[in-house]
Amino acid sequence: MGVQEFELIDYVAPVVVGVIFSVVLFFLSVCINFTCIKKNDDITEFERWGAKYNLRMGPHRLDVTKQFTDKIRVDL
């Protein structure tokens, strides 16, 4: 058998697949967060994370999420 010769794409492919998997998983999680979480449910971690950066990441309004997040910080 001969010696294998690798090109740049052979080394970069696992990283690209990992990035694509992470992006798809993130978007699926956001879609599930908007469709399966109802307004009377608790604030999710996506919404707490989004509130830090003024992003709405779920069904609750941004001001409700910030109010709930601030309330938890005060209680701790």
Side-chain angles (χ1 to χ4, degrees), residues 15-55:
V15 175
V16 171
V17 169
V19 169
I20 291 172
F21 176 76
S22 299
V23 169
V24 168
L25 186 64
F26 177 76
F27 281 118
L28 282 175
S29 299
V30 170
C31 291
I32 290 170
N33 200 23
F34 272 105
T35 57
C36 295
I37 307 296
K38 303 299 178 200
K39 289 194 183 272
N40 57 353
D41 290 335
D42 292 337
I43 304 295
T44 63
E45 289 300 319
F46 272 119
E47 291 175 310
R48 288 183 189 152
W49 179 78
K52 290 181 191 176
Y53 304 105
N54 289 329
L55 296 172

